[in-house]
Amino acid sequence: MDGQDDAKQSTADMTAFVQNLLQQMQSRFQTMSESIISKIDEMGNRIDELEQSINDLRAEMGQEGTPSPSDPVKTGEEPKSGGDS
């Protein structure tokens, strides 16, 4: 009957080892999950700040009455070439 007791002990040891391993993995995944969520929140805050900065710049440009950088010169009104015809 000694062999049967050894088998039971071995099974109990293996069960305890697997449970401990699973707990460690769960803890590590939880830590990684919290870290990822934290970084996503930080990125969201940075995007919000960037949007606010863009809106501030747009408002500033609108108040100054400066032309948009994408349209610095009105084309069609002042042709730069071919005007000698």
Side-chain angles (χ1 to χ4, degrees):
M1 291 205 196
D2 228 8
Q4 198 174 24
D5 289 340
D6 286 344
K8 287 180 181 179
Q9 183 62 38
S10 178
T11 301
D13 288 346
M14 183 61 74
T15 300
F17 173 77
V18 170
Q19 286 178 340
N20 184 33
L21 187 61
L22 289 173
Q23 286 175 347
Q24 288 177 2
M25 288 174 62
Q26 182 179 7
S27 175
R28 288 179 184 165
F29 279 120
Q30 182 67 34
T31 301
M32 286 179 16
S33 176
E34 289 170 359
S35 174
I36 290 169
I37 290 170
S38 173
K39 289 180 192 249
I40 289 172
D41 288 343
E42 182 181 335
M43 285 174 50
N45 290 336
R46 292 176 74 182
I47 289 171
D48 290 343
E49 290 173 6
L50 182 60
E51 287 176 343
Q52 185 60 48
S53 294
I54 290 169
N55 289 334
D56 291 346
L57 286 172
R58 283 182 175 170
E60 195 175 306
M61 287 176 62
Q63 289 173 356
E64 293 175 3
T66 57
S68 169
S70 62
D71 188 20
V73 176
K74 293 181 182 177
T75 59
E77 287 184 6
E78 297 179 27
K80 293 189 176 187
S81 63
D84 295 331
S85 317

